[in-house]
Amino acid sequence: MLTATEIIGYQTEHYEDVVALMAILQDHERSLSADRPPGNEVAAGHFKYLLSACAESAGQVFVALQDQQVWGFLVVITESEALADLHLYPTYKTYGVVTDICVAAEARGQGIAAQLMAAAEDHCRELGLARILVSALADNQLARDCYVRQGYQLTEVTFSKDLLATEATDPNTELGCELDCESGFEEIS
């Protein structure tokens, strides 16, 4: 029988459990992206930073409890585009951003991530926001699938390039495209 899950706002008594989950999340992301330091080195400091970001942005940390034990957490903050930036309608210039979400491996498959996401969505609605964003590492298929199941759509793709890499590549030949300044990228045959 599944134990009922309660989603509540973070309280200081949850600190150690959330930091432990943050370390697990960081280590998972580190396995997918070499730019991440080990979880035990950054989890506590990163969580303190996120608590500060929540305080500054009407954000919230939610925890998932079963029998008073923390099995997951989510951090949602708000961000805004500059008022002078005209590429978005005003309604969408301030939005929620899920920065981190983690459910303990033993508790997965119970819908806890969906419940945490629903709490974040409700929080953003209460703030009068029209949109919530969440991102995932490109290779984090588990997270990407979870977000799609929750009704999230892929809206932007961010590319990155490691400028500290030892080998320089010719972007015109390595990427199979060249930049035509008038019309954008064109494929090279």
Side-chain angles (χ1 to χ4, degrees):
M1 179 171 126
L2 292 178
T3 303
T5 301
E6 182 182 16
I7 306 299
I8 65 169
Y10 166 83
Q11 299 169 16
T12 54
E13 66 199 48
H14 304 132
Y15 178 81
E16 294 297 327
D17 292 331
V18 172
V19 168
L21 287 171
M22 180 68 76
I24 290 167
L25 174 61
Q26 181 72 13
D27 286 338
H28 174 67
E29 289 184 348
R30 186 170 191 249
S31 74
L32 301 172
S33 183
D35 62 351
R36 309 287 201 248
N40 65 347
E41 292 178 11
V42 299
H46 185 60
F47 185 57
K48 287 177 184 175
Y49 159 76
L50 291 171
L51 287 173
S52 175
C54 284
E56 294 171 7
S57 75
Q60 179 69 51
V61 177
F62 291 101
V63 295
L65 299 177
Q66 289 181 353
D67 297 325
Q68 299 306 308
Q69 183 173 354
V70 175
W71 288 101
F73 79 94
L74 176 145
V75 179
V76 60
I77 62 172
T78 64
E79 291 184 354
S80 296
E81 301 289 331
L83 291 175
D85 187 344
L86 301 178
H87 84 283
L88 291 175
Y89 287 116
T91 302
Y92 296 102
K93 285 193 177 192
T94 301
Y95 44 87
V97 178
V98 174
T99 64
D100 295 270
I101 180 173
C102 183
V103 175
E106 313 88 274
R108 291 188 186 143
Q110 299 178 36
I112 293 174
Q115 292 176 49
L116 287 165
M117 293 296 285
E121 293 166 13
D122 289 344
H123 178 74
C124 290
R125 281 187 198 96
E126 289 171 10
L127 294 174
L129 303 178
R131 179 179 288 161
I132 186 170
L133 307 176
V134 62
S135 63
L137 292 173
D139 289 337
N140 192 345
Q141 198 62 49
L142 180 68
R144 293 173 59 165
D145 291 345
C146 174
Y147 304 144
V148 168
R149 281 193 307 275
Q150 300 309 308
Y152 287 77
Q153 300 173 347
L154 186 62
T155 56
E156 290 189 20
V157 177
T158 301
F159 291 88
S160 69
K161 182 177 184 179
D162 185 353
L163 298 176
L164 300 177
T166 56
E167 289 185 36
T169 59
D170 178 354
N172 289 330
T173 57
E174 291 295 321
L175 297 177
C177 60
E178 66 182 38
L179 180 60
D180 175 339
C181 292
E182 303 232 351
S183 64
F185 283 98
E186 293 182 359
E187 288 230 5
I188 296 175
S189 333

